[in-house]
Amino acid sequence: ARVNEVLDGDDSFLNQISSWGFKRVQINATAVNGVDTSKLTESVGSFLTTIVKHPELEFILQKNEETQP
């Protein structure tokens, strides 16, 4: 799933959608989207690095009981 790529620091999809003119990305890091939510804390560093690399994009993060640390 794209969300796992982004959480792992792979920004190729973000580069692609930015080149298409998209300005906003929503991250739904939940089990239904294929994310192992027990490992979200481990992804914070690479995810933050990815966000910093893309100041042209607005990131919307889903926060709920499932995504709590």
Side-chain angles (χ1 to χ4, degrees):
R2 297 291 186 192
V3 67
N4 285 315
E5 293 172 4
V6 173
L7 291 175
D8 291 340
D10 177 353
D11 68 340
S12 55
F13 181 67
L14 298 176
N15 289 326
Q16 186 177 42
I17 63 170
S18 180
S19 74
W20 291 338
F22 287 92
K23 301 290 181 197
R24 187 176 297 152
V25 178
Q26 183 164 337
I27 305 297
N28 297 325
T30 59
V32 72
N33 290 314
V35 175
D36 180 352
T37 57
S38 70
K39 297 181 180 180
L40 283 177
T41 304
E42 298 169 17
S43 300
V44 171
S46 58
F47 178 62
L48 291 176
T49 299
T50 301
I51 288 176
V52 170
K53 288 171 54 177
H54 291 279
E56 77 282 6
L57 295 173
E58 176 183 359
F59 288 84
I60 302 165
L61 305 176
Q62 178 180 353
K63 181 180 180 285
N64 60 30
E65 287 182 11
E66 186 178 350
T67 60
Q68 287 185 23

